[in-house]
Amino acid sequence: TVSRAQEDMNIHLIIEAYKKTPERNLVVVSNWEISEYGKNLKSENKNKFPNIFLQDAIYNVDELNAIRSNGEIYIHSHSLCGTAPSLTEAMFLKLPVICFDVNTNRASTENNSIYFSDSESLVQELRSLDKNNIEKLGERMYEIAQRRYTWERIVNLYKNSIN
């Protein structure tokens, strides 16, 4: 997952879920030092669980995409933003997406993602994933991204709203 280190990003929920699923690895890329929330999460969890990797913020898109594209899934935990760039970027990488269950995430993924509302529901979803479902979910996310989140479409929407 990639997100800012603030409470509405729900990083704590993801970390708690992965503490309970040690068979799965988690990489969280965040700017930990910008908030007490981030600093506390990092100090409480960094190097304490062999399956949880807390990475400092990466601003080079190629490097970030290299990390994301090597993941099995992308967890989008944002709860207060609209269509987040980190979500659409993951969708373009054909990553299966598991989203925090809020209207904006449902709208961005056209209700085709897997959704969680707390760490326990995320644990359940992680344990129920199988290779076939993961592959199909990644394909659905990519199809949505190709149809809805291209520069050409966005420019045309703006252009048509002005006219």
Side-chain angles (χ1 to χ4, degrees):
T1 191
V2 178
S3 65
R4 295 178 311 279
Q6 55 193 56
E7 276 190 72
D8 62 301
M9 299 297 164
N10 298 302
I11 300 169
H12 60 285
L13 296 179
I14 300 172
I15 290 173
E16 287 306 311
Y18 274 81
K19 287 178 185 178
K20 296 172 185 169
T21 54
E23 68 278 8
R24 291 188 169 278
N25 290 329
L26 170 67
V27 177
V28 181
V29 179
S30 189
N31 52 353
W32 304 102
E33 301 304 317
I34 67 154
S35 67
E36 287 306 309
Y37 171 79
K39 290 175 189 174
N40 291 338
L41 272 179
K42 188 176 181 182
S43 69
E44 291 167 9
N45 296 290
K46 185 150 177 102
N47 299 323
K48 296 188 179 159
F49 302 91
N51 66 318
I52 298 174
F53 304 90
L54 305 182
Q55 171 69 46
D56 289 334
I58 297 170
Y59 298 100
N60 178 300
V61 175
D62 293 332
E63 188 178 338
L64 194 55
N65 283 342
I67 291 170
R68 282 192 285 215
S69 63
N70 281 293
E72 183 181 34
I73 58 173
Y74 181 75
I75 300 177
H76 186 69
S77 59
H78 305 188
S79 62
L80 293 178
C81 58
T83 302
S86 59
L87 174 58
T88 57
E89 289 166 357
M91 292 167 72
F92 270 105
L93 291 170
K94 296 184 180 179
L95 287 169
V97 177
I98 298 176
C99 289
F100 189 74
D101 195 359
V102 291
N103 289 339
T104 54
N105 293 338
R106 283 188 174 272
S108 296
T109 60
E110 297 180 350
N111 287 310
N112 281 284
S113 184
I114 296 170
Y115 304 94
F116 70 98
S117 56
D118 54 32
S119 63
E120 285 306 313
S121 60
L122 179 55
V123 168
Q124 290 172 0
E125 295 300 345
L126 292 170
R127 288 187 175 148
S128 70
L129 291 175
D130 67 40
K131 187 174 173 62
N132 192 37
N133 289 345
I134 287 173
E135 227 171 83
K136 287 179 182 175
L137 181 55
E139 290 169 12
R140 278 197 313 266
M141 294 298 103
Y142 181 69
E143 184 277 321
I144 293 166
Q146 287 283 74
R147 186 169 29 81
R148 292 184 65 180
Y149 304 118
T150 63
W151 281 114
E152 181 181 359
R153 180 174 182 269
I154 306 279
V155 167
N156 284 331
L157 286 171
Y158 276 105
K159 203 160 91 177
N160 291 335
S161 72
I162 294 170
N163 296 330

